[in-house]
Amino acid sequence: MTALGMPPVPPRGSGNLRGVAAFPAAAHQELANTQLRRNIGKATHTIRAKRLSVTGELPDWEQLRDAGAAVKTDVLNRLPELLTQFEAAVTARGGVVHWAADAAEADAIVTDLIRATGSDEVIKVKSMATQEIGLNEHLEEQGITAYETDLAELIVQLGHDKPSHILVPAIHRNRAEIREIFLREMPGVDPDLDDNPRHLAAAARKFLRHKFMTVPVAVSGANFGIADTGTLAVVESEGNGRMCLTLPQTLITVMGIEKLLPTYRDLEVFLQLLPRSSTGERMNPYTSMWTGVTPGDGPQEFHLVLLDNGRTAALADEMGREALHCIRCSACLNVCPVYERTGGHAYGSTYPGPIGAVLSPQLAGMDAPGDPNATLPFASSLCGACYDACPVKIDIPSLLVELRHQKVEHASFGIEAAAMKAASLAMSSSRRWTTAQKAAGLGRLLAGKKGKITSLPRPLAGWTEARDIPAPPRQTFRQWWNSDEGRAALAQAREKGRQQ
Ligand code: SF4
């Protein structure tokens, strides 16, 4: 199936980790973990400082951001046309293109491709798209073992954990915790391993080197796909990606359909924007690019799975379309005061932080009753730091406000909507408003001597969970206005006005 052959707005995808709590409950739990807060605070402050230093040294940084935003706008405006061009270019260079409408379809395609090689093991380059479709879990159910080869992803995998940052998935772990995980889970590890970072990295290298040399299939994501040449690009820091992309016989790449760039030349902009915004480096240590299959050099079989999983639905929505500009640099996470305190797990989504709060509801929807995604647009102070940091100028705060608006609009069955309707009815008539104010006086009974209402019964209990309500005053403003005291105050104000 091609993108052009898809229905105009296919169903939403799945972007959530399985069995998650809504953000407020999960955040409460994470906030109690002081070690986590220390780890994340230290890491985000370090990356933030590096980013500011390397972006500040470029005189045309703002123009680069404008160029990045313009290219992504162009891509999304012409997506069907560019995808067709991309498919033709990949195929012409010996690659095989598969289209996946959702996570289940993508998982099934990848599983069949791995099975066809006869292997029950696969090595993986860090990939958000494969996390989004729950590929590792699916492969495990099918009897195929996936080995993450990025050091942080390996730590997460061995720790039976979930990533908590787009770029640094194990940002919530310190080196003592990593040592414990390696000693407990890594086959063949030296029992005397200490927590020196060099020694930990060496232990991971030894374990992974054997996998690189023996596993015949690799799965990768892609940072960019170039429509006019069919080239794929992966940027990384450790060289593990380069090993996965060159050593196995078969390479399977899973790429979200929004990751396209029109021309090879557009990489010039993004290979400056991405490393400076993500790791605070001038350029990536490893930038791997490949185009189809080259006889006798690298993988001899290349499959590209183009993933929709809610993207076409997001594209049809003006707000969703802007969120699809994201190049997953994680700069918005590192500057977010909410993320810094709660960490990534609280978002319960493959994509945490400010962009996750926008992207997850867009990709997977938030309209089902009790959907944890519905709380994500509220997981922000709307301070605007994410907008300032974003290399492609996504206006995340405005997107969050719009999603909040949509949430309230859709919640026409909810208590909040019913309360708003009742308030609107009362306020539209002077007589009804006077009656409502008299009735509100009953609240003084609930407030008692304390003068504040600290807990309301269900279904209003949520209102008083995080705040008290002051007791209604004995006298309303209207009553005061019509009293002797009110009239005297008015006369006094008028007299003062005349004298001035
Ligand atoms: S929204 Fe912008 S800052 Fe955040 S990850 Fe995406 S590109 Fe980076």
Side-chain angles (χ1 to χ4, degrees):
M1 183 192 282
T2 69
L4 292 176
M6 288 178 182
V9 182
R12 299 281 183 185
S14 60
N16 273 73
L17 306 177
R18 293 167 188 185
V20 297
F23 183 84
H28 262 292
Q29 198 177 330
E30 300 295 326
L31 283 169
N33 186 340
T34 48
Q35 180 67 58
L36 174 107
R37 285 168 59 186
R38 249 198 311 276
N39 295 351
I40 292 180
K42 187 160 180 257
T44 52
H45 278 253
T46 306
I47 303 176
R48 207 187 295 179
K50 280 175 74 183
R51 184 184 66 80
L52 282 176
S53 151
V54 295
T55 56
E57 69 188 16
L58 283 187
D60 60 349
W61 179 247
E62 285 308 311
Q63 285 89 334
L64 273 172
R65 290 177 76 204
D66 287 335
V71 170
K72 293 306 282 190
T73 301
D74 176 45
V75 165
L76 295 172
N77 285 344
R78 299 193 289 132
L79 194 57
E81 168 199 330
L82 291 174
L83 281 169
T84 308
Q85 187 188 10
F86 184 50
E87 179 184 30
V90 172
T91 309
R93 299 297 186 99
V96 182
V97 176
H98 309 258
W99 296 86
D102 56 24
E105 216 170 282
D107 283 337
I109 292 168
V110 176
T111 307
D112 288 348
L113 290 172
I114 297 170
R115 284 230 177 89
T117 69
S119 177
D120 59 3
E121 291 184 318
V122 63
I123 47 175
K124 282 190 70 213
V125 190
K126 177 180 175 304
S127 148
M128 302 299 293
T130 60
Q131 274 168 30
E132 181 187 319
I133 61 174
L135 182 65
N136 287 9
E137 294 84 349
H138 178 79
L139 291 178
E140 195 180 337
E141 285 164 12
Q142 301 300 313
I144 297 170
T145 309
Y147 296 101
E148 292 291 349
T149 63
D150 172 90
L151 178 56
E153 283 288 348
L154 179 68
I155 293 164
V156 168
Q157 188 180 34
L158 291 176
H160 308 287
D161 202 354
K162 293 287 181 195
S164 62
H165 190 278
I166 290 178
L167 187 74
V168 198
I171 198 169
H172 55 290
R173 297 286 193 191
N174 62 25
R175 57 190 184 165
E177 291 173 303
I178 295 166
R179 172 180 171 267
E180 276 171 34
I181 291 170
F182 280 10
L183 287 175
R184 199 172 62 234
E185 304 282 346
M186 187 180 277
V189 73
D190 177 358
D192 295 325
L193 179 69
D194 59 26
D195 65 5
N196 179 317
R198 282 173 66 92
H199 300 163
L200 293 172
R205 184 180 297 125
K206 190 172 162 212
F207 171 71
L208 289 173
R209 191 56 60 110
H210 177 67
K211 297 296 170 196
F212 288 135
M213 302 310 288
T214 56
V215 177
V217 197
V219 172
S220 85
N223 291 98
F224 306 105
I226 314 298
D228 69 345
T229 60
T231 303
L232 279 299
V234 162
V235 296
E236 38 108 18
S237 307
E238 298 168 12
N240 65 299
R242 178 73 55 83
M243 304 277 245
C244 288
L245 298 168
T246 53
L247 289 174
Q249 269 301 299
T250 302
L251 173 62
I252 304 163
T253 299
V254 181
M255 185 184 113
I257 55 173
E258 83 284 16
K259 292 292 191 79
L260 281 187
L261 298 179
T263 68
Y264 205 81
R265 185 139 188 219
D266 295 314
L267 275 176
E268 175 194 340
V269 172
F270 289 89
L271 291 182
Q272 293 183 75
L273 287 175
L274 183 55
R276 287 177 194 260
S277 302
S278 56
T279 48
E281 290 168 304
R282 294 188 179 101
M283 64 183 289
N284 289 94
Y286 293 89
T287 300
S288 301
M289 288 189 257
W290 71 101
T291 310
V293 173
T294 305
D297 184 12
Q300 295 302 290
E301 219 182 296
F302 170 54
H303 295 271
L304 174 64
V305 181
L306 288 170
L307 176 70
D308 187 315
N309 203 32
R311 286 162 174 78
T312 310
L315 191 67
D317 175 281
E318 205 185 319
M319 305 304 282
R321 181 173 285 219
E322 190 174 348
L324 292 178
H325 290 194
C326 177
I327 57 171
R328 316 282 192 268
C329 72
S330 76
C332 56
L333 277 68
N334 298 329
V335 296
C336 177
V338 176
Y339 176 88
E340 186 185 325
R341 283 158 183 83
T342 64
H345 289 156
Y347 293 79
S349 158
T350 303
Y351 305 103
I355 188 58
V358 172
L359 207 50
S360 301
Q362 286 287 346
L363 292 181
M366 60 171 181
D367 302 334
D371 189 331
N373 279 339
T375 59
L376 291 180
F378 299 88
S380 169
S381 63
L382 300 180
C383 67
C386 47
Y387 184 28
D388 293 341
C390 179
V392 287
K393 293 197 166 175
I394 300 175
D395 185 356
I396 298 175
S398 295
L399 297 182
L400 289 168
V401 170
E402 169 60 20
L403 285 171
R404 290 179 186 188
H405 171 73
Q406 287 179 15
K407 168 74 183 77
V408 172
E409 287 279 294
H410 289 165
S412 52
F413 48 84
I415 186 71
E416 200 172 322
M420 288 299 159
K421 263 196 189 138
S424 156
L425 192 68
M427 287 177 173
S428 59
S429 143
S430 169
R431 192 169 48 80
R432 280 199 291 267
W433 183 238
T434 307
T435 312
Q437 283 185 322
K438 279 185 187 152
L442 293 174
R444 278 200 300 280
L445 292 177
L446 278 175
K449 283 189 185 152
K450 290 179 295 200
K452 56 188 176 189
I453 303 167
T454 52
S455 87
L456 283 170
R458 291 207 170 275
L460 299 168
W463 184 261
T464 46
E465 261 167 24
R467 57 178 87 70
D468 297 333
I469 303 176
R474 288 185 180 283
Q475 190 180 36
T476 66
F477 176 76
R478 284 175 170 217
Q479 286 165 341
W480 175 84
W481 184 256
N482 292 322
S483 69
D484 290 347
E485 191 188 347
R487 277 192 285 271
L490 179 62
Q492 205 177 357
R494 279 188 178 142
E495 180 55 31
K496 206 169 168 189
R498 263 198 296 275
Q499 286 170 9
Q500 284 169 352

